[in-house]
Amino acid sequence: MRPFTYARPKSAVAAVRAFTAAGAGARYIAGGTSLYDLMKLDIEKPQHLIDVTAIRGLDAIETGGERLRFEALAPMSAVATDKVVLSDYPVLAEALWKAASQQLRNMATVGGNLLQRTRCLYFRNGAGGTSVGNTYPCNKREPGSGCAAIGGLDRGQAVLGQSSSCTAVSPGDWPVALVALDAYVEVLGASGSRAIPIAELYRLPGSTPNLEFTLQPGEMITAIVVPKTKAGRHSTYHKIRDRESYAFALASAAVALEMDGDTVTRARIALGGVATKPWRATTAEALLAGKPLTPATALAAGHAAFADAKAGKQNGFKIDLGARTVADALTIAAARNRS
């Protein structure tokens, strides 16, 4: 691991100032469960770490009023076990429970979790890039070097949102659930504070896959806000993976339903494990509106969610798996509507 300087400011404003003063080589750090790994792999090479864990009040959880508010430093485990989240928004609790081991949930923060970087094997197993003779080029790691996954081992790669420069899957579970519930983040930077819908926090890879988020330099996430909805009670996060314990999704679906009896009045569906960013399945949502939720309509919605999917060499199975994952999630959420 390379040497770096370290600062531990006491306020969010001071943290932004410290980051701005440090310049381009600065990184914020909270739980560190992702950043430290990337530093050990020599992928992230910060010259300055700004530790935000000393900022008071940035770990609060508020569930009263017309919205849920999770301050950025709230531990994943604390949000996952909150009584209101468990009873009224199971999609959020399940996304956190299925995201990591208990040890990581205790350490990782809900704000930091949003900024995970991909687990693409070429991104993580080829640090150094072609400039040092590495055989695994990666445009996320070294812009312009190429994408070894295209034409390579692509079983875990995206079938939605890819480009000719990158097919890496967005790794998170938590952001998928938040996208389904129209959540947004509050951020603070040198120019002040602003709100960003979670769906707009992530960039498609295009020709610049190294630019993954819409945050401006020095901006830090201070809170996650979720508008309250009755659909939260009738929701689920359904995740399919190679093994049950601490594995990233091959396909996942976050679903929340508003229903009149057995008829869907509004569906919210987001996909994980299959796209280059948390993916809102608006076509599938529109297909369900005004229809009874039956096994046939649920599966039709699942297939609609993947109508634009494009398979590589080994990941074509994700298209049918993803469609069935959506169908199963819809069935689970609808059953909660009747309970």
Side-chain angles (χ1 to χ4, degrees), residues 37 129 216 222 264:
D37 286 344
Q216 297 299 311
T222 56
V264 177

Side-chain angles (χ1 to χ4, degrees), residues 110-129:
V110 290
N113 182 272
L114 297 178
L115 302 178
Q116 291 185 82
R117 303 193 69 187
T118 185
R119 262 62 182 181
C120 172
L121 63 89
Y122 294 108
F123 172 73
R124 294 196 170 239
N125 295 341

Side-chain angles (χ1 to χ4, degrees), residues 39-216:
M39 289 169 67
K40 291 174 184 177
L41 292 170
D42 206 32
I43 294 171
E44 289 281 1
K45 306 167 187 177
Q47 298 170 3
H48 313 279
L49 286 184
I50 314 299
D51 185 343
V52 298
T53 57
I55 300 174
R56 284 190 159 189
L58 211 60
D59 60 352
I61 299 171
E62 301 174 14
T63 57
E66 297 181 352
R67 60 186 187 173
L68 306 173
R69 182 184 176 87
F70 310 117
E71 300 290 336
L73 293 183
M76 291 170 60
S77 57
V79 176
T81 55
D82 179 87
K83 290 182 179 179
V84 172
V85 173
L86 282 168
S87 64
D88 295 352
Y89 298 89
V91 65
L92 297 178
E94 290 167 358
L96 291 169
W97 279 110
K98 295 176 181 180
S101 67
Q102 183 63 48
Q103 294 90 336
L104 287 176
R105 287 195 299 270
N106 287 340
M107 191 70 180
T109 64
V110 290
N113 182 272
L114 297 178
L115 302 178
Q116 291 185 82
R117 303 193 69 187
T118 185
R119 262 62 182 181
C120 172
L121 63 89
Y122 294 108
F123 172 73
R124 294 196 170 239
N125 295 341
T130 55
S131 62
V132 293
N134 199 290
T135 57
Y136 299 140
C138 172
N139 286 320
K140 276 189 181 294
R141 193 183 60 244
E142 186 174 334
S145 62
C147 176
I150 297 175
L153 299 175
D154 65 359
R155 178 178 182 269
Q157 301 301 104
V159 295
L160 291 165
Q162 322 95 307
S163 74
S164 60
S165 297
C166 183
T167 64
V169 162
S170 180
D173 300 294
W174 173 236
V176 177
L178 293 171
V179 164
L181 295 182
D182 297 315
Y184 62 91
V185 291
E186 295 177 355
V187 304
L188 180 67
S191 299
S193 59
R194 64 183 178 123
I196 308 173
I198 294 285
E200 297 176 16
L201 179 63
Y202 302 91
R203 297 175 183 265
L204 288 170
S207 60
T208 55
N210 56 303
L211 303 177
E212 298 174 326
F213 309 104
T214 57
L215 294 173
Q216 297 299 311

